[in-house]
Amino acid sequence: MFTEAQLYSPVTTGADGDVTVHLSDEHPGVHDADYRARRNAIAALALGYRTGEPVPRIEYTAEEQEVWRIVSAELARKRAKYACAEVIEAANRLGLPADRIPQLDEVSAKLVPLTGFRYVPAAGLVPLREFFGSFADRVFHSTQYIRHHSAPLYTPEPDAVHEILGHANQLASPRFAALYETVGAAVARITTDTALKFLADVFWFSMEFGVLREHGEIRCYGAGLLSSYGEIEEFREAELRPLNIREMGTRVYDITHYQPVLYCAESIGEIEDVVGAFFESMTDDTVAELTAPA
Ligand SMILES: [Fe+2]
């Protein structure tokens, strides 16, 4: 999930119980009545899900499976070239199918033995406190819909490709999974909206859009980069800055464009020492200090 309020298509339930996903005017599927009906049906299944119940399975259409095949093959090729070794090894161990969309319970069945993370369904935006807080229990809220078939390599919103090929491939690494858990533990300590937003923004510039130097090359580990056909390559054009928690937590960014500034770690150990240590110790007070005017 991105930071995400502006990005997810809003989902509403009418008085008659009908669930509607409101696509933006620029969404590639906005004029496709079948796609819109499909999105409404998938969102309704997620909204009906209750903790402890079996996760709803989606009967994906041939068209949706074809989208997955195309984007999965392209991202695997790009991952080999641009992702860091930790992610490549994690993705190999996870072994997601390339020929069809995995159901969320299949993703969980593969992830749990590796790092204990489980996937549960989300209709769209999950409140930030719930989304990040659930990492403490190694639970990840994931959408199940797929981008529109007219643009298989593009999506204006996080879809199953982002959630699974981005986040699950990252969450298959014990080191990255441990970082997510520290995020969840931090949410239990903080109470202010300022601290929650700060946490979300540090997460954005690390676990979503983080890069690191590996054997002299810049490689990505962020889920947002790993799942973006265009940005996984273009990130090499970004201005790279050293990890800086204050900057990462306060930087204003535009989620609709490629990120012009990215924060580059020198190693995974540095991500753990700087970003992980921050999540481990952050409180409302430390954020108040970091965001206080100089
Ligand atoms: Fe995400």
Side-chain angles (χ1 to χ4, degrees), residues 1-4 8 131 140 158 162-163 167 180 203-204 207-208 223-224 227:
M1 189 170 90
F2 299 97
T3 295
E4 291 188 359
Y8 273 103
F131 177 73
F140 187 87
H162 170 69
E163 316 280 32
H167 286 286
Y180 276 64
F203 187 88
W204 170 272
M207 304 319 290
E208 291 284 7
S227 65

Side-chain angles (χ1 to χ4, degrees), residues 29-225:
V30 70
H31 300 301
D32 180 342
D34 290 343
Y35 181 77
R36 298 191 71 154
R38 181 81 180 133
R39 291 290 302 269
N40 295 345
I42 291 174
L45 279 176
L47 286 179
Y49 169 76
R50 296 290 173 267
T51 304
E53 292 176 356
V55 169
R57 293 190 141 232
I58 310 295
E59 298 254 335
Y60 290 109
T61 65
E63 205 167 52
E64 288 168 333
Q65 302 285 21
E66 181 62 14
V67 169
W68 179 270
R69 275 193 286 278
I70 292 168
V71 70
S72 180
E74 291 295 335
L75 286 178
R77 202 165 52 77
K78 295 222 174 184
R79 191 165 59 237
K81 216 165 157 188
Y82 301 115
C84 69
E86 181 76 13
V87 164
I88 292 173
E89 287 160 17
N92 289 342
R93 280 196 300 274
L94 188 63
L96 292 168
D99 59 339
R100 64 184 177 79
I101 307 164
Q103 300 289 335
L104 296 190
D105 56 8
E106 291 180 78
V107 176
S108 298
K110 287 176 177 289
L111 265 181
V112 165
L114 296 176
T115 63
F117 260 89
R118 283 184 300 118
Y119 268 45
V120 296
L125 178 70
V126 175
L128 295 185
R129 180 166 282 282
E130 186 182 348
F131 177 73
F132 290 117
S134 67
F135 296 167
D137 301 319
R138 301 216 169 199
V139 168
F140 187 87
H141 292 266
S142 170
T143 57
Q144 294 171 286
Y145 57 80
I146 288 284
R147 58 196 62 191
H148 193 252
H149 59 85
S150 65
L153 300 178
Y154 167 77
T155 174
E157 57 188 340
D159 65 348
V161 171
H162 170 69
E163 316 280 32
I164 298 173
L165 293 177
H167 286 286
N169 279 332
Q170 189 188 46
L171 283 167
S173 149
R175 297 180 78 173
F176 289 133
L179 283 164
Y180 276 64
E181 192 174 336
T182 64
V183 172
V187 169
R189 283 195 307 275
I190 59 179
T191 62
T192 66
D193 289 346
T194 304
L196 188 59
K197 169 84 167 60
F198 195 95
L199 172 146
D201 289 352
V202 173
F203 187 88
W204 170 272
F205 280 114
S206 54
M207 304 319 290
E208 291 284 7
F209 285 90
V211 297
L212 62 86
R213 210 178 306 275
E214 202 171 70
H215 308 301
E217 275 184 58
I218 307 301
R219 298 285 187 126
C220 67
Y221 67 92
L225 293 172

